[in-house]
């Protein structure tokens, strides 16, 4: 962790917009494959595919290590602090504070991703003091472009981020939201 970054709290629970974003727990392991083992998630995200019980265990362990390192928070998206419906991420890096999300297929179409991103952005602005949060997404991912727009992000005039993941090339646009 950089000496300029403060550590993340051991436990985090954020509420707002009809959601409770909370830490993943051991009890959530069984629900994670149903949420994340889906062709959309496999295609558009770096999550493991297939996303099975072993992948869930590895993700929870990695979540805890990244939190301890002070770089990344992964929180379960819930409506009441109970069953997870998806995930929202905050990652601190030299290029900025990046947010990300994945909502389980059975829970899409309810505005969960946009609301979760706005709650996490508020946390970044108010608690971490960042000036801007970013989303990096592919222009062809219409659902993510819609989330970015609904959450108040605008497309930034910066070069595309290109690379290859899971054997396919990608080109990511950067969308930004500034602190109010």
């Amino acid at each position: 962790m950089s000496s300029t970054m403060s550590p993340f709290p051991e436990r985090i629970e954020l509420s707002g917009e009809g959601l409770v974003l909370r830490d993943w727990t051991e009890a959530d392991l069984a629900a994670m494959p149903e949420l994340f083992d889906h062709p959309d998630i496999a295609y558009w995200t770096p999550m493991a595919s297939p996303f099975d019980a072993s992948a869930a265990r590895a993700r929870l362990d990695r979540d805890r290590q990244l939190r301890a390192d002070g770089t990344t928070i992964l929180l379960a998206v819930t409506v009441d602090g109970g069953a997870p419906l998806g995930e929202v991420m905050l990652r601190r890096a030299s290029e900025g504070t990046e947010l990300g999300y994945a909502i389980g297929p059975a829970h899409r179409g309810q505005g969960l991703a946009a609301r979760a991103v706005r709650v996490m952005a508020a946390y970044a602005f108010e608690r971490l003091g960042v000036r801007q949060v970013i989303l990096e997404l592919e222009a062809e991912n219409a659902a993510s472009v819609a989330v970015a727009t609904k959450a108040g992000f605008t497309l930034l005039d910066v070069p595309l981020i290109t690379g290859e993941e899971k054997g396919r090339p990608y080109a990511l646009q950067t969308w930004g939201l500034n602190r109010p």
Side-chain angles (χ1 to χ4, degrees):
M1 179 174 70
S2 164
S3 60
T4 61
M5 285 189 209
S6 58
F8 291 125
E10 189 175 316
R11 294 187 42 76
I12 299 176
E13 183 172 289
L14 308 175
S15 297
E17 301 217 18
L19 299 177
V20 176
L21 309 180
R22 62 160 177 81
D23 293 317
W24 287 103
T25 68
E26 298 289 325
D28 295 322
L29 287 170
M32 291 171 84
E34 183 180 323
L35 295 173
F36 303 134
D37 188 36
H38 190 269
D40 287 1
I41 291 173
Y43 188 82
W44 296 115
T45 77
M47 284 193 196
S49 179
F51 197 98
D52 55 15
S54 175
R57 173 84 261 161
R59 187 147 184 93
L60 184 60
D61 292 346
R62 185 163 186 261
D63 165 32
R64 291 175 175 165
Q65 184 59 54
L66 293 170
R67 168 93 55 100
D69 291 346
T71 60
T72 305
I73 306 168
L74 298 168
L75 298 177
V77 175
T78 77
V79 293
D80 57 5
L85 310 174
E87 174 175 271
V88 64
M89 173 207 71
L90 179 147
R91 182 177 71 87
R92 299 192 284 199
S94 57
E95 63 272 13
T97 302
E98 178 188 1
L99 304 183
Y101 46 86
I103 301 298
H107 310 291
R108 294 180 185 162
Q110 302 171 49
L112 296 171
R115 291 186 285 153
V117 165
R118 285 192 299 261
V119 171
M120 188 66 98
Y123 173 80
F125 296 143
E126 296 163 13
R127 304 261 182 88
L128 304 179
V130 303
R131 291 189 203 146
Q132 182 182 61
V133 292
I134 60 171
L135 297 171
E136 296 173 345
L137 50 99
E138 294 182 63
E140 297 81 15
N141 187 343
S144 279
V145 170
V147 168
T149 303
K150 287 177 190 172
F153 285 69
T154 57
L155 183 60
L156 302 179
D157 186 17
V158 299
L160 292 174
I161 301 162
T162 59
E164 187 173 311
E165 182 85 35
K166 298 179 188 173
R168 79 169 186 90
Y170 63 80
L172 302 175
Q173 298 176 324
T174 303
W175 291 69
L177 179 67
N178 294 326
R179 179 170 47 198

